[in-house]
Amino acid sequence: MKIVVCLKQVPSRDAFLKVNAASTWIEEADISYEVNEPDVYALEEGLRLKEKLGGEVIVCTLGPARAAQAIKEALAKGADRALHLDDAAFANLDAHGTAKALAAAIRRDNPDLVLTGLQSDDFGYAQTGVIMAEMLNLPHSTIVMEIQAEGEHLKIKRELEGGWFQWIEMPLPAVLTIQSGINKPRYATLKGIMAAKNKPLQKLTAQDLGLDTDALEPRQIISRVYVPQKTAQTEFIEGSPKEIAERLVDKLKNEARVI
Amino acid sequence: MAEEIIVYAEHQDGKLARPAWEAVAAAQRFSAALGANCVGAVVGENVRNLAEELAGAGLSEVLTIESPQLAQYTPDGYSAALRQVVELRHPRFVVFSHTYQVRDFAPKLAASLDRVLIGDSLDYRLEGERIIFVRQVFQGKFSADVEFRGEPPYFVSFQAGAFREDSVQQGVASAKITSVPIDIPPGAVRTRPQEKFREARQAVDLSQAEIIVAVGRGIKKSENMVLARKLAEALGAEVGASRPICDSGWLPMDRQVGSSGQTVAPKLYLALGISGAIQHQVGMKGSRTVVAINKDREAPIFEIATYGIAGDLFEIVPPLIEEIKKAKAG
């Protein structure tokens, strides 16, 4: 099975983020990055399917030069090769533009299965995989918690709200967006890290993919980013840990009357 | 001809559920602000009764979009059907609630018309000619003002609770119901859904718990869960968690609080090291008193906490356990 896994590099969860001077996005200098969490699970799922059914896993990442680190990690974990969509024309795309660029790259490989994480931790569109499926004219399903490949068919378990699930059958090729927790992602081994150095990594520009700036023009733009207005009347309790504990218990007992 | 705003009324198990009314509430306000007609749309098979229910709300018209191929929700079927409705009616906006179903098909529908969806909006505001939608980015750490570019139709979905279902304006008369003929060619629907089910082991019902100690990523290691358990024991509480904790297998999935887990409403909810992304908040914002302990003073959980402690939970929880024991003994 030929599997493409789309993987995004996002600011680390522990990174201290500040809005940039122009209030258009965050200050990107001096922050650490990591692979978007749901994409880590998507990669693991791709690797497991390959181990079971044979074939290859191709990592596809759109992002600036720094995203090469995310690609390296995926190759070290066992992906076979990578596509890195890196071009100034790919900066500031919306989900539609990102999906268009990814679809153009993926189309050339004609895979059996495309996996993405269900949502990015930065923009949080939760749309790229779905738009890509439409552009590639492939069936899709989102928020997937289990995949059973049966010959030319898939049986997938989709998460619904409030603890409900549903099994869905679909033909291959297909696009699936993966929910966190579907599996236990592996760590790269030292052997894997060494092997990654010799795996093919293809850089692709907008021109390589036949995309001009008009095609990538964002249809939704972020005009301002800001710290949300705090509306809640949160009462912060200060002091030493012991003082905080005393004050909090006093409040829970006498103000909120919950203990 | 007044402009039109179409609102998608989602139904679950044969009923118009809360997301449908929240979307109607959003679309009504939005239509009034823009001076547009607000038109409801129900998709499925035999949905006339739902359309009649919807027609009682203050809408100018209700559309039924019916076909045997729409008897069960599929992204192929629903987006093909609604695409034909949009091509026929040329609405300026199509409004949805940001549910799991909408997430599954609305981006596809928009893309099939070469348009985009601004998803998961909290709110909107009008500034002169500009229509600005507010979304969360970085899991709620920041808000973003987002605007459409290019030509309509524009697709937008609102987060659960962004507009309240009880703010739906009822109509003076029932709106006209129009059946929109659509054609879904054989083979267009490629996925075959089966019946919905729940995992058998719902061992714990957190929705009935009076006190919940909930653990998030800030607990750092599986070995540290013992600290949360001790606190829960002192309080006589159940232990819950945000999704990443259950994903890591540190607690079973049935103790997850949030959009994909349980919805809880205890009298006391203690959040330890939980940042409070929206997916978690929707599951616990009905709690009466919320205590949040988190290192990051800017964490979104402090938006809904009654009492906030910006500090290290490993320093604060041990004395807290002692104080609770003392208070209970006294």
Side-chain angles (χ1 to χ4, degrees):
Chain A
M1 187 183 263
K2 193 179 202 183
I3 303 165
V4 170
V5 179
C6 299
L7 200 104
K8 183 177 188 180
Q9 194 194 44
V10 296
S12 301
R13 277 185 303 271
D14 307 338
F16 181 69
L17 304 179
K18 291 199 303 267
V19 174
N20 66 11
S23 295
T24 50
W25 192 233
I26 54 159
E27 190 53 70
E28 288 192 314
D30 306 324
I31 55 172
S32 56
Y33 287 87
E34 64 190 7
V35 178
N36 183 50
E37 188 175 38
D39 301 356
V40 174
Y41 288 96
L43 173 66
E44 178 64 35
E45 206 54 28
L47 294 172
R48 288 181 187 204
L49 284 166
K50 180 187 92 166
E51 281 155 5
K52 206 151 82 186
L53 306 165
E56 64 170 340
V57 171
I58 306 155
V59 179
C60 186
T61 294
L62 182 146
R66 61 168 161 77
Q69 181 54 37
I71 293 171
K72 269 194 209 119
E73 282 171 34
L75 293 172
K77 284 183 178 184
D80 300 280
R81 58 190 175 90
L83 308 171
H84 184 177
L85 283 60
D86 179 9
D87 189 324
F90 297 146
N92 306 319
L93 297 183
D94 60 7
H96 190 89
T98 303
K100 197 176 262 184
L102 290 171
I106 290 167
R107 207 173 276 123
R108 297 149 48 117
D109 265 303
N110 204 13
D112 303 300
L113 183 63
V114 182
L115 303 177
T116 72
L118 84 163
Q119 188 162 19
S120 66
D121 285 345
D122 51 3
F123 283 101
Y125 283 126
Q127 296 190 38
T128 307
V130 179
I131 299 171
M132 210 162 53
E134 171 64 26
M135 290 173 173
L136 293 166
N137 193 22
L138 295 178
H140 79 271
S141 193
T142 54
I143 321 184
V144 171
M145 280 302 278
E146 194 176 329
I147 303 175
Q148 297 175 3
E150 297 163 355
E152 294 298 294
H153 268 76
L154 288 178
K155 213 175 142 184
I156 63 106
K157 187 166 101 178
R158 176 165 192 254
E159 183 183 284
L160 308 169
E161 281 115 334
W164 289 87
F165 296 92
Q166 183 177 39
W167 285 99
I168 295 171
E169 289 174 17
M170 58 171 60
L172 286 169
V175 178
L176 302 176
T177 80
I178 303 297
Q179 168 66 296
S180 297
I182 183 173
N183 52 38
K184 291 270 171 288
R186 69 194 65 190
Y187 293 98
T189 60
L190 191 59
K191 195 168 142 228
I193 294 167
M194 298 309 289
K197 292 184 171 37
N198 303 318
K199 289 180 174 174
L201 192 165
Q202 191 184 9
K203 288 249 188 197
L204 292 165
T205 62
Q207 195 180 358
D208 295 333
L209 298 172
L211 297 167
D212 57 19
T213 41
D214 278 357
L216 297 169
E217 190 68 36
R219 323 286 185 76
Q220 53 176 304
I221 57 136
I222 294 183
S223 45
R224 197 165 69 95
V225 172
Y226 48 99
V227 174
Q229 279 269 261
K230 289 270 188 276
T231 49
Q233 300 298 311
T234 300
E235 185 183 338
F236 278 95
I237 300 171
E238 317 280 352
S240 71
K242 185 159 172 24
E243 287 164 347
I244 288 173
E246 284 168 3
R247 285 170 195 164
L248 178 61
V249 169
D250 178 59
K251 286 179 186 299
L252 293 178
K253 201 170 169 170
N254 301 316
E255 274 180 28
R257 296 175 190 276
V258 287
I259 53 174
Chain B
M1 246 328 253
E3 284 185 320
E4 199 164 276
I5 287 175
I6 291 180
V7 52
Y8 172 72
E10 182 172 330
H11 51 91
Q12 291 158 355
D13 308 318
K15 288 192 280 292
L16 291 176
R18 197 181 73 175
W21 298 113
E22 288 184 352
V24 168
Q28 283 178 332
R29 291 251 291 276
F30 198 48
S31 308
L34 298 177
N37 288 333
C38 192
V39 175
V42 194
V43 179
E45 192 191 24
N46 306 325
V47 292
R48 177 86 199 184
N49 57 331
L50 301 179
E52 282 164 5
E53 192 185 344
L54 200 59
L59 296 169
S60 49
E61 193 177 351
V62 174
L63 310 176
T64 57
I65 301 103
E66 295 176 293
S67 157
Q69 281 157 297
L70 302 173
Q72 274 191 299
Y73 163 75
T74 61
D76 285 341
Y78 272 46
S79 79
L82 280 162
R83 178 183 162 172
Q84 291 169 48
V85 173
V86 171
E87 285 173 333
L88 183 77
R89 306 281 302 209
H90 304 292
R92 185 170 171 204
F93 281 91
V94 184
V95 174
F96 304 87
S97 273
H98 188 75
T99 60
Y100 277 35
Q101 185 194 87
V102 165
R103 287 171 64 155
D104 197 51
F105 82 86
K108 175 184 172 72
L109 165 67
S112 73
L113 292 154
D114 205 24
R115 294 293 182 273
V116 301
L117 166 80
I118 291 183
D120 208 9
S121 304
L122 288 167
D123 203 359
Y124 71 88
R125 66 177 190 276
L126 306 179
E127 286 182 12
E129 290 296 288
R130 293 165 69 193
I131 304 171
I132 298 164
F133 297 89
V134 180
R135 292 185 71 243
Q136 293 180 311
V137 289
F138 294 99
Q139 305 204 320
K141 247 180 229 174
F142 301 115
S143 293
D145 286 350
V146 186
E147 298 173 54
F148 285 104
R149 285 287 176 269
E151 293 298 306
Y154 304 123
F155 297 81
V156 60
S157 71
F158 288 100
Q159 203 171 86
F163 292 85
R164 295 174 56 105
E165 59 179 322
D166 55 18
S167 68
V168 168
Q169 313 246 331
Q170 295 304 317
V172 278
S174 269
K176 177 175 78 159
I177 298 176
T178 310
S179 167
V180 181
I182 49 144
D183 172 41
I184 298 177
V189 177
R190 295 164 292 185
T191 58
R192 287 222 313 272
Q194 295 169 11
E195 286 306 305
K196 295 192 324 185
F197 66 95
R198 273 191 133 130
E199 305 277 84
R201 14 157 239 105
Q202 274 287 32
V204 55
D205 184 4
L206 293 180
S207 68
Q208 300 305 312
E210 293 237 314
I211 303 180
I212 294 174
V213 171
V215 186
R217 242 189 253 277
I219 202 81
K220 289 203 169 69
K221 289 205 291 271
S222 154
E223 297 78 76
N224 296 336
M225 291 296 292
V226 67
L227 192 61
R229 288 203 181 88
K230 280 187 179 155
L231 178 60
E233 209 174 307
L235 283 163
E238 288 285 357
V239 180
S242 66
R243 181 161 193 121
I245 297 297
C246 300
D247 284 348
S248 309
W250 300 352
L251 266 187
M253 276 288 178
D254 60 6
R255 290 196 175 261
Q256 189 198 140
V257 174
S259 58
S260 52
Q262 300 200 42
T263 301
V264 300
K267 60 181 190 182
L268 174 61
Y269 190 90
L270 256 143
L272 305 179
I274 289 179
S275 68
I278 184 66
Q279 297 86 343
H280 186 74
Q281 284 195 20
V282 296
M284 48 68 72
K285 64 184 178 196
S287 311
R288 205 167 76 202
T289 301
V290 176
V291 175
I293 305 175
N294 194 305
K295 278 199 316 226
D296 178 7
R297 207 186 174 95
E298 296 296 319
I301 193 76
F302 289 128
E303 182 67 10
I304 52 167
T306 326
Y307 303 113
I309 296 155
D312 183 345
L313 72 95
F314 299 106
E315 288 177 4
I316 290 149
V317 173
L320 185 57
I321 293 170
E322 294 314 310
E323 287 301 320
I324 289 164
K325 283 181 181 166
K326 264 197 273 182
K328 289 217 157 183

